[in-house]
Amino acid sequence: MSPDGFAFIAGLVKSRSGLVLTPDKQYMLDTRLGPILKKEGLASLDALALKLREPRAVALAEAVTEALTTNESSFFRDGKPFEHLKRVLPQLAAARPPGSTLRVWSAACSTGQEAYSIAMLAQELGAELAGRKLEIYGTDISHEVLARAREGYYTQFEVQRGLPARLMVKYFQQEAGRWRVNPALRAMARFEHLNLLAEFRHLGRFDVIFCRNVLIYFDSPTKTRVLHALADRLAPDGVLYLGGAETVLGLTDQLVALPAERGAYEHRRPVAKAG
C-alpha cells in the first residue's frame, strides 16, 4: 500500500473514531479490510483509499472504521473493577432517594459482556441495593457488535472467559449450541450506537461509567476531550472505570484516582479554604 493511501485511510479513521493508526499497523488494514475489498470488488487498499475519497462513500467509510476498531471483550474482564463496583453500588444506592434508578454506562461495550456482567453483579447484590433499580446503557461505534449484544448469544469459548459456572447456569440458557442471556437480564441493558467523539449530553448523568481499554487507541488531545466529556456525564459522587493501562494524569484535572483502586476515578473534590 502506498504511503499516501495509508495516510488517507488512517486520517479518515482517526477523524471518525479517534483511533490512531501508525505505519507499523498496516497489517491491520491488510487483515481486517480484506472482506471489504472483496465485497466492493476492489483489487487493493490503494483502490479502496481512492473510492473513499468519493463524496458518496459515507457508508463505506463507516464500514472501514468499524472493521478497524478493536472489539475485544470478556465477562468480568480484569476482575478488580467488578470487585470494587460490588462495594460501590450499595453505597450509591444508599445515597439516592427511595425509588430512584441507578444508571450505569458501558461505553465502547463491544458485544455486551461488560454490560451483562454489571447486570449479573446487581442481581447478585439483591437487597443490598435497597430496592433501587439499575439501568444499564451500552454504547459502541460498531453496529455489528451492538446487534450481537442485543441478541445476547455467546459461544462456549466466550462464556468460559471469566464467567463463573454458577452464574452461567443461573443467568444463561443453552440454545442451538450457544448460550443466551436470559430475558430478565437482557431487559436490564439497552444498547445504542454512539461515537465517543460525538456530543452525548443528551444521555444525562450516570452514577457509574465504564470506559475501559478505549483511551489507549487515542492521541493525547482526543483522550483529554473524551475524559472531559465523560466527567461531565458522571454524577458528583460517581465512579469512572478506565482500563488498567490507562490514566488521567496529564490529561485532565477534573478526575482523580481513588486511593488503592487501580483504574477507578472520581471527581476532584474542591480544596477547602483555610479560615
Side-chain angles (χ1 to χ4, degrees):
M1 185 180 192
S2 70
D4 284 348
F6 178 86
F8 179 80
I9 292 180
L12 176 82
V13 171
K14 183 177 184 297
S15 68
R16 294 181 67 89
S17 71
L19 174 65
V20 175
L21 293 170
T22 50
D24 62 305
K25 295 292 196 306
Q26 185 169 328
Y27 71 90
M28 286 179 58
L29 276 66
D30 296 332
T31 57
R32 297 190 186 184
L33 298 184
I36 292 178
L37 294 181
K38 185 176 180 179
K39 181 182 178 182
E40 297 292 329
L42 299 171
S44 67
L45 289 172
D46 281 317
L48 175 62
L50 192 62
K51 188 166 185 177
L52 284 167
R53 295 175 190 270
E54 296 176 5
R56 292 181 292 180
V58 177
L60 181 60
E62 184 172 341
V64 167
T65 303
E66 285 197 22
L68 290 172
T69 51
T70 299
N71 294 306
E72 174 67 16
S73 188
S74 60
F75 290 101
F76 297 99
R77 186 178 182 181
D78 301 329
K80 290 291 186 183
F82 296 96
E83 292 174 16
H84 185 254
L85 181 65
K86 188 175 181 179
R87 301 193 300 271
V88 166
L89 280 180
Q91 295 172 9
L92 290 170
R96 301 294 182 268
S100 61
T101 298
L102 293 172
R103 304 188 72 224
V104 181
W105 180 15
S106 172
C109 66
S110 187
T111 43
Q113 287 96 319
E114 183 174 82
Y116 289 128
S117 296
I118 296 165
M120 282 184 275
L121 186 150
Q123 289 287 79
E124 292 296 296
L125 285 171
E128 292 186 55
L129 296 186
R132 274 68 168 179
K133 294 181 179 179
L134 194 75
E135 176 185 279
I136 302 166
Y137 192 65
T139 65
D140 203 278
I141 195 173
S142 169
H143 292 281
E144 182 179 348
V145 298
L146 286 169
R148 280 204 59 204
R150 292 187 192 104
E151 291 175 353
Y153 281 106
Y154 299 97
T155 65
Q156 185 69 35
F157 173 74
E158 287 171 325
V159 295
Q160 287 176 333
R161 294 186 66 198
L163 182 63
R166 181 182 67 83
L167 298 184
M168 182 180 72
V169 172
K170 187 174 181 179
Y171 295 109
F172 288 72
Q173 303 163 344
Q174 198 161 22
E175 296 181 13
R178 294 183 296 172
W179 292 89
R180 192 179 196 190
V181 180
N182 69 30
L185 211 66
R186 290 204 310 275
M188 293 177 65
R190 183 160 60 101
F191 297 96
E192 300 290 345
H193 179 263
L194 181 78
N195 188 333
L196 286 174
L197 300 190
E199 172 60 57
F200 45 77
R201 291 182 184 176
H202 64 281
L203 298 183
R205 286 284 181 92
F206 292 91
D207 301 288
V208 176
I209 298 175
F210 279 71
C211 188
R212 300 191 301 150
N213 307 302
V214 179
L215 298 181
I216 53 174
Y217 299 107
F218 298 163
D219 59 18
S220 292
T222 306
K223 289 177 183 178
T224 295
R225 174 182 167 187
V226 171
L227 283 170
H228 283 170
L230 292 174
D232 186 54
R233 295 298 90 213
L234 186 66
D237 59 347
V239 179
L240 167 67
Y241 294 101
L242 301 179
E246 297 169 328
T247 181
V248 304
L249 290 175
L251 298 170
T252 178
D253 58 3
Q254 295 184 33
L255 299 160
V256 293
L258 283 165
E261 292 296 339
R262 184 182 180 192
Y265 297 85
E266 64 178 356
H267 281 288
R268 182 182 293 278
R269 308 296 180 191
V271 178
K273 294 182 180 180

